[in-house]
Amino acid sequence: MSNTHRGDSPTSFFTDHYELTMVDAARKAGTADRKAVFELFARRLPTGRRYGVSAGQGRFLEGLANFRFDDEHLGFLSDHQVVSEDTLNWLAQYRFTGDIYAYAEGEPYFPYSPIMQVEATFAEAVILETYLLSVHNYDTAVASAASRMTRAAGGRPCIEMGSRRAHEEAAAAAARAAAIAGFASTSNLAAGLRYGITTAGTAAHSFTLLHDDERAAFQAQVDAMGNKTSLLVDTYDIETGIRNAVDIAGPELAFVRIDSGDLLEEAHHARRLLDDLGNTNTGIVVTSDLDEYAIAGLRSAPVDSYGVGTQLVTGSGAPTASLVYKLTTRQDANGKWVDVHKQAEGKASRGGRKYATRRYDDGVAAAEVVVASDEPQWDKHHRPLVHKVVDQGEVDTDHIGAGAVERAAARHEEAVSELPPTARRLQDGEPAIPTEFQLH
Amino acid sequence: MSNTHRGDSPTSFFTDHYELTMVDAARKAGTADRKAVFELFARRLPTGRRYGVSAGQGRFLEGLANFRFDDEHLGFLSDHQVVSEDTLNWLAQYRFTGDIYAYAEGEPYFPYSPIMQVEATFAEAVILETYLLSVHNYDTAVASAASRMTRAAGGRPCIEMGSRRAHEEAAAAAARAAAIAGFASTSNLAAGLRYGITTAGTAAHSFTLLHDDERAAFQAQVDAMGNKTSLLVDTYDIETGIRNAVDIAGPELAFVRIDSGDLLEEAHHARRLLDDLGNTNTGIVVTSDLDEYAIAGLRSAPVDSYGVGTQLVTGSGAPTASLVYKLTTRQDANGKWVDVHKQAEGKASRGGRKYATRRYDDGVAAAEVVVASDEPQWDKHHRPLVHKVVDQGEVDTDHIGAGAVERAAARHEEAVSELPPTARRLQDGEPAIPTEFQLH
């Protein structure tokens, strides 16, 4: 499934002004072509979280091919004197030709996990900074929240329906990130079209209110969509709504949706009533500002599916993943590699190109091991986490296009299942496994 | 300034699956063409906020012209059997032909302010729901946070630099919303290109780290950008950084940027040092996870400009505005208008087409007056807030294109200045003015 409507839109202007002026200055100074390694990582997880879920790699790699400057961009940069004529010519020719190493999409991450490393000239790598961060910060925030929700749901399907509470393009990305972290479907049609995610929906209160009464609305929906539909029963009175729904759709009615009230209590009432009416196969979908805590709180309720909106697309309290993109090592004038890091208070980073594995004890993850040296020989207790995804500018197609979301979802499910049980705790606490550094 | 890269991309698939199935069902039931009024409003402001700032109207109206279904969309809907053949044909012809009334972009809003009202057939109006909400919920969340920041800054310029912490398209919209709410410039080039917003930037730590030492980096930047540039002085040691910056750029140095540490203390140190070195005209820009509280906390510090990132693009704790889009009135089978509203617990809305004004006492706003009846004659103490922005499908170009952002920013500045002084309090509290209803 191609990224249809974004397929050939340039991504280069999703960037900060200073990325281009730095390229310009480095080119004039003769330092732009020094080889460099930039690293994408988080200094910490959102407060109290036990793990994060890396996401966005596939979207970034799709956009990388379109990271180019066309005449309109170059005209803007020229008119506003952002960079010199010489750098305009360089930008006109820009294509990324370096290497990129990354965690697989859907893979859990921890503080200082080297989620992505970009190896290229300084100029080629720095210019990607803003766009690379935008994609990963949003998608990772959503996937990390979504994973907690799908764990809390304990196998009951979650439906993503938060599009209306996020920027319209972010909404499609959120649906994608949610699918990677275990959501069963989305309401978002753009996500269906672009990424092949299953789309689903019920009906809105406005549909009921359009009609002369609730029965007329339910009849209209059943006439159009058949008996195996999902009816929204809380526009007026839930009990009457369920009776009307069963009366009109009959025993095949797939779901009733409840979007208000005390969901725990209403779900129990609804289940009893549905069973009393003979609709033992009709399921109950609940919606209404659910987050992972509300989902967990409904574990004992007879709920069959959760519709999750606002809290998903806003990262459930952590709307950005706070990932940073830092220069860790670069060549000097003689081609010798120099590890570098900022020394500012509270913002330390660790220099050098990294390898990373997850170490297992009896099949359970025990530590995130980050190594800044030549790649070690890993024994069978280690699972390497860093893979080459771009080779001299060529994107490994395993990470993009048809099937990429499904593969990431399968990987996420397996990798999270291997984390220790503390990972599934919703209470605030420390990361589920420690990050161990083996530095020089 | 045209919305360049989105200029002809369809917006119709930024939508929920159920919007289309509801259209399909209503068409089959013969209720799709009933005239209806949908209203965009918030039941409450984010916790503790004194006012919100409505934004997104211009982006929505630009996107409305591209709300159409092309062959790819229709193919998807057909392949996935989302709607009937007959409704596919209707979608293929879809163009909005109704009327839209709205608050001007940048206008403050309060609980139940009728920010936008869409009058059309049910089918034409309901299908816009998700897209309309996405645009307004995000842009309004950002503008509402931005307005608090620019008030806290008390006239010192704020620079928007949060692109990397938001979805890449959301970032451009955030820069636009921030400009409406008083930000002086943005780092985001897409926002510069699309909306004519002034772009600006300094340099990153990676630029300093690329070079053999800080002096080499500063020299490279000054060589490329001239002495009147902004140098980032906290990569190693701030005092040494300032001395290097002054030594290399001389008295014309425009700004030093400090991105870490105790900004209050560092700003005082930096000011004294700059003055001692003779650079009395060099300003100080501070950045580092600023929000409105941190900005207010720096009021006594010798700071000349604030760079604001994460907290801006994530709405400073309220990443979505919680705006809803509700059917308030519609015709019955005989063409008679019927006011409608959901009766669900905690989610009441008020039926009917609305007018709204802000009532003033001695030039200070005293109440938001919402009237559900024929439009009253307003006296000179009332400023009407609802304007027709789409007439039978034709968008009033005053709200889109070149100059729209500047006009919205001017309107915002004036309207906020007319709110009572409590509006500028950052502490949690009640809305600055009450919403008064004059219903039937």
Side-chain angles (χ1 to χ4, degrees):
Chain A
M1 194 71 43
S2 67
N3 185 341
T4 312
H5 292 294
R6 306 279 304 281
D8 45 11
S9 289
T11 53
S12 61
F13 252 43
F14 295 128
T15 203
D16 288 326
H17 183 109
Y18 80 176
E19 311 289 6
L20 303 195
T21 58
M22 287 191 287
V23 168
D24 193 44
R27 284 174 46 74
K28 285 187 182 153
T31 50
D33 291 335
R34 291 182 175 186
K35 286 280 177 61
V37 180
F38 280 82
E39 182 184 321
L40 175 73
F41 65 96
R43 295 193 181 92
R44 64 196 76 82
L45 300 176
T47 307
R49 295 276 180 90
R50 307 314 182 101
Y51 64 101
V53 176
S54 70
Q57 292 95 326
R59 276 212 314 123
F60 169 72
L61 294 173
E62 287 185 358
L64 181 62
N66 298 317
F67 199 95
R68 57 174 195 274
F69 296 83
D70 64 21
D71 289 346
E72 185 177 36
H73 300 128
L74 298 169
F76 176 90
L77 297 173
S78 175
D79 292 348
H80 292 78
Q81 300 179 297
V82 177
V83 296
S84 64
E85 189 70 25
D86 182 60
T87 294
L88 284 179
N89 292 330
W90 184 86
L91 292 173
Q93 303 298 321
Y94 181 85
R95 296 290 184 278
F96 182 74
T97 63
D99 297 336
I100 300 181
Y101 299 82
Y103 275 40
E105 192 159 22
E107 184 72 67
Y109 74 92
F110 298 91
Y112 293 96
S113 294
I115 296 170
M116 186 171 274
Q117 293 173 79
V118 177
E119 294 195 13
T121 65
F122 174 80
E124 278 198 36
V126 78
I127 206 173
L128 298 176
E129 177 177 34
T130 308
Y131 175 59
L132 186 153
L133 282 170
S134 289
V135 172
H136 288 94
N137 266 321
Y138 184 68
D139 292 16
T140 296
V142 173
S144 297
S147 183
R148 284 161 62 87
M149 293 166 175
T150 51
R151 298 317 97 178
R156 291 173 177 171
C158 294
I159 310 165
E160 190 285 305
M161 42 175 71
S163 297
R164 63 190 57 195
R165 299 300 177 91
H167 180 283
E168 66 276 18
E169 281 281 2
R176 181 183 178 281
I180 288 170
F183 272 61
S185 58
T186 179
S187 64
N188 188 282
L189 288 181
L193 179 63
R194 292 178 183 174
Y195 307 117
I197 301 168
T198 302
T199 65
T202 60
H205 296 108
S206 66
F207 183 80
T208 299
L209 295 171
L210 168 68
H211 292 86
D212 298 338
D213 56 36
E214 190 177 58
R215 293 182 63 90
F218 287 178
Q219 191 66 57
Q221 185 174 330
V222 165
D223 287 348
M225 306 181 67
N227 292 326
K228 294 178 185 171
T229 189
S230 302
L231 292 169
L232 174 63
V233 295
D234 72 341
T235 304
Y236 302 108
D237 172 77
I238 296 177
E239 182 175 335
T240 310
I242 291 173
R243 289 183 185 277
N244 284 335
V246 169
D247 196 35
I248 289 163
E252 291 190 321
L253 175 65
F255 289 99
V256 292
R257 176 160 82 98
I258 302 173
D259 183 47
S260 53
D262 179 327
L263 296 177
L264 184 66
E265 192 180 327
E266 295 297 349
H268 280 291
H269 285 168
R271 183 72 269 152
R272 275 196 297 271
L273 182 55
L274 285 167
D275 290 348
D276 287 350
L277 295 171
N279 275 43
T280 53
N281 291 323
T282 298
I284 297 171
V285 185
V286 294
T287 56
S288 189
D289 270 345
L290 296 179
D291 61 11
E292 61 268 45
Y293 304 101
I295 292 169
L298 289 166
R299 195 164 290 179
S300 68
V303 166
D304 298 279
S305 186
Y306 303 94
V308 189
T310 306
Q311 293 301 322
L312 176 78
V313 299
T314 59
S316 198
T320 182
S322 301
L323 300 172
V324 295
Y325 180 77
K326 295 296 172 188
L327 179 67
T328 61
T329 187
R330 50 92 181 156
Q331 289 183 328
D332 66 14
N334 303 314
K336 183 169 170 287
W337 286 94
V338 182
D339 289 353
V340 297
H341 61 277
K342 183 185 173 191
Q343 290 166 351
E345 187 184 330
K347 292 194 176 176
S349 54
R350 295 159 195 262
R353 163 103 164 79
K354 312 282 190 339
Y355 297 88
T357 71
R358 197 158 295 147
R359 195 180 68 234
Y360 288 84
D361 289 344
D362 289 332
V364 178
E368 192 87 337
V369 183
V370 178
V371 182
S373 67
D374 290 340
E375 183 162 19
Q377 291 297 313
W378 304 111
D379 67 23
K380 67 187 169 90
H381 299 293
H382 287 83
R383 179 164 67 89
L385 298 169
V386 173
H387 310 284
K388 194 172 201 173
V389 297
V390 177
D391 183 19
Q392 296 185 53
E394 287 294 314
V395 176
D396 181 341
T397 54
D398 193 47
H399 304 281
I400 59 177
V405 169
E406 291 87 334
R407 286 192 292 279
R411 189 182 304 118
H412 167 265
E413 199 58 38
E414 184 176 357
V416 173
S417 74
E418 294 168 351
L419 296 177
T422 51
R424 284 175 285 284
R425 289 199 193 142
L426 294 180
Q427 309 96 299
D428 282 4
E430 296 299 307
I433 57 174
T435 304
E436 296 177 0
F437 296 96
Q438 297 175 11
L439 304 179
H440 297 276
Chain B
M1 191 73 41
S2 67
N3 186 342
T4 312
H5 292 295
R6 305 280 304 281
D8 45 12
S9 289
T11 53
S12 61
F13 252 42
F14 296 127
T15 202
D16 288 325
H17 184 109
Y18 80 176
E19 311 290 6
L20 304 194
T21 58
M22 287 190 288
V23 168
D24 193 43
R27 283 175 48 74
K28 285 187 183 155
T31 50
D33 292 334
R34 291 182 176 188
K35 286 280 177 61
V37 180
F38 280 82
E39 181 183 323
L40 175 73
F41 65 96
R43 294 192 182 93
R44 63 196 76 83
L45 300 176
T47 307
R49 295 276 180 90
R50 308 313 183 100
Y51 64 101
V53 175
S54 69
Q57 292 95 326
R59 278 212 313 121
F60 169 72
L61 294 173
E62 288 184 358
L64 181 62
N66 298 317
F67 200 95
R68 57 175 194 273
F69 295 84
D70 64 20
D71 289 346
E72 186 177 35
H73 300 128
L74 298 169
F76 176 90
L77 297 172
S78 175
D79 291 349
H80 292 78
Q81 300 179 296
V82 177
V83 296
S84 64
E85 189 70 25
D86 182 62
T87 294
L88 284 179
N89 292 331
W90 183 86
L91 292 173
Q93 303 298 322
Y94 181 85
R95 296 290 184 278
F96 182 74
T97 63
D99 297 335
I100 300 182
Y101 299 82
Y103 274 41
E105 194 160 20
E107 184 73 67
Y109 75 91
F110 298 91
Y112 293 97
S113 294
I115 296 171
M116 186 171 274
Q117 294 172 81
V118 177
E119 294 194 13
T121 65
F122 174 80
E124 278 198 36
V126 77
I127 206 173
L128 298 176
E129 177 176 36
T130 308
Y131 175 61
L132 186 153
L133 282 170
S134 289
V135 171
H136 289 95
N137 266 321
Y138 184 68
D139 292 17
T140 296
V142 173
S144 297
S147 183
R148 284 160 62 87
M149 292 167 176
T150 52
R151 298 317 97 177
R156 292 172 177 171
C158 293
I159 311 166
E160 188 285 307
M161 40 176 72
S163 297
R164 62 191 57 196
R165 299 300 177 92
H167 180 282
E168 65 276 16
E169 281 282 1
R176 181 182 178 282
I180 288 170
F183 271 60
S185 58
T186 178
S187 64
N188 188 284
L189 288 181
L193 178 63
R194 292 178 183 173
Y195 309 116
I197 302 168
T198 303
T199 65
T202 60
H205 296 108
S206 66
F207 184 79
T208 299
L209 295 171
L210 168 69
H211 292 87
D212 298 338
D213 55 36
E214 188 177 61
R215 292 182 63 89
F218 288 178
Q219 191 65 58
Q221 186 175 329
V222 166
D223 287 347
M225 305 182 67
N227 293 326
K228 294 179 186 172
T229 188
S230 301
L231 291 169
L232 174 63
V233 295
D234 73 341
T235 304
Y236 301 109
D237 171 77
I238 295 176
E239 181 174 337
T240 310
I242 292 173
R243 290 182 184 278
N244 284 335
V246 168
D247 196 35
I248 289 164
E252 291 190 321
L253 175 64
F255 289 98
V256 294
R257 176 160 80 98
I258 302 173
D259 182 46
S260 53
D262 179 326
L263 295 177
L264 183 66
E265 192 179 328
E266 296 297 349
H268 280 291
H269 285 166
R271 184 71 270 153
R272 276 196 297 273
L273 182 55
L274 285 167
D275 290 348
D276 288 350
L277 295 170
N279 275 45
T280 51
N281 291 323
T282 299
I284 298 171
V285 184
V286 294
T287 56
S288 189
D289 269 345
L290 296 178
D291 61 12
E292 60 267 45
Y293 304 101
I295 292 169
L298 290 165
R299 196 164 288 179
S300 68
V303 166
D304 299 279
S305 186
Y306 302 94
V308 189
T310 306
Q311 293 301 322
L312 176 78
V313 300
T314 59
S316 199
T320 183
S322 301
L323 300 172
V324 294
Y325 181 77
K326 295 296 171 190
L327 179 67
T328 62
T329 187
R330 50 94 183 155
Q331 290 182 329
D332 66 14
N334 303 316
K336 180 167 172 287
W337 287 93
V338 182
D339 289 353
V340 296
H341 61 279
K342 183 185 172 190
Q343 289 166 351
E345 188 183 329
K347 291 194 176 175
S349 53
R350 294 159 196 264
R353 164 102 164 81
K354 313 281 190 340
Y355 298 88
T357 71
R358 197 159 294 147
R359 195 180 68 233
Y360 287 84
D361 290 343
D362 287 333
V364 178
E368 192 87 337
V369 183
V370 177
V371 182
S373 66
D374 289 340
E375 183 162 19
Q377 290 298 312
W378 304 110
D379 66 24
K380 67 188 169 91
H381 299 293
H382 287 84
R383 181 164 66 89
L385 298 169
V386 173
H387 310 283
K388 194 171 201 173
V389 296
V390 177
D391 183 18
Q392 295 184 54
E394 287 295 312
V395 175
D396 181 341
T397 55
D398 192 48
H399 304 281
I400 59 177
V405 169
E406 292 87 333
R407 287 192 292 277
R411 188 180 305 119
H412 168 266
E413 199 58 39
E414 184 176 357
V416 173
S417 74
E418 294 168 349
L419 295 178
T422 51
R424 284 175 285 286
R425 289 199 192 143
L426 294 179
Q427 308 97 298
D428 282 3
E430 295 300 307
I433 58 174
T435 304
E436 295 177 0
F437 296 97
Q438 297 176 11
L439 304 179
H440 296 276

